[in-house]
Amino acid sequence: EAEEEFTQALDVLEIKYEKKFKFKSTKHWRFDFHLIEHRIMVEIAGGPWSGGRKGKLKDKAWSMDRYDDAEAMGYTVVRLEAAPSFKINESGPLQIQAHFASQWLKNLKRQIFNGSDQTVSTN
């Protein structure tokens, strides 16, 4: 449900994206969405690529490694949390409650119209 709503918001706002994006050819790692113009990887918590609720701890460990690798390659990683209460992990990626995702996308789109894209370094 969260994935469908997110896809619909991306389409309405005309934000270019790829689904189930495999960012590293040597790994089977995927993110639910790649927001192309922003170099943002979006993971919807509990999705099939994160190991889901029935995932094993070892699968969750490699999931965190892919966050680090994506950031090292210049991507910003964002997790959409569908659970009403979730623990914010300060050392992990930016976490957004799923029902705020549409507003976050609107703000992201607005940044491009109001100046430089703030998600990409100017260096």
Side-chain angles (χ1 to χ4, degrees):
E1 184 178 306
E3 186 172 332
E4 290 173 16
E5 289 176 14
F6 194 71
T7 301
Q8 184 178 15
L10 289 169
D11 290 340
V12 166
L13 294 168
E14 298 178 348
I15 295 175
K16 295 178 185 170
Y17 65 93
E18 298 172 274
K19 284 179 120 178
K20 309 299 181 207
F21 181 69
K22 183 177 179 179
F23 73 101
K24 196 167 183 180
S25 62
T26 59
K27 300 281 186 180
H28 293 290
W29 295 345
R30 292 189 175 107
F31 282 90
D32 293 325
F33 292 91
H34 170 220
L35 308 185
I36 299 165
E37 296 170 334
H38 303 279
R39 293 188 54 83
I40 295 176
M41 302 291 196
V42 178
E43 182 70 13
I44 298 176
W49 304 116
S50 67
R53 290 185 182 163
K54 295 182 175 111
K56 295 181 180 177
L57 184 58
K58 69 178 180 65
D59 295 332
K60 293 188 188 308
W62 70 254
S63 181
M64 295 309 286
D65 287 344
R66 82 187 148 115
Y67 293 167
D68 293 339
D69 278 14
E71 288 180 353
M73 294 171 67
Y75 294 101
T76 299
V77 178
V78 174
R79 276 182 59 93
L80 294 184
E81 301 289 347
S85 76
F86 59 95
K87 182 179 179 185
I88 294 177
N89 181 352
E90 300 283 334
S91 64
L94 172 66
Q95 293 173 284
I96 299 172
Q97 207 163 356
H99 68 273
F100 292 125
S102 292
Q103 186 60 47
W104 174 71
L105 288 173
K106 287 176 189 172
N107 292 341
L108 190 64
K109 183 78 172 180
R110 194 174 299 125
Q111 284 179 355
I112 290 177
F113 290 121
N114 291 335
S116 63
D117 183 353
Q118 301 301 312
T119 62
V120 179
S121 172
T122 55
N123 295 338

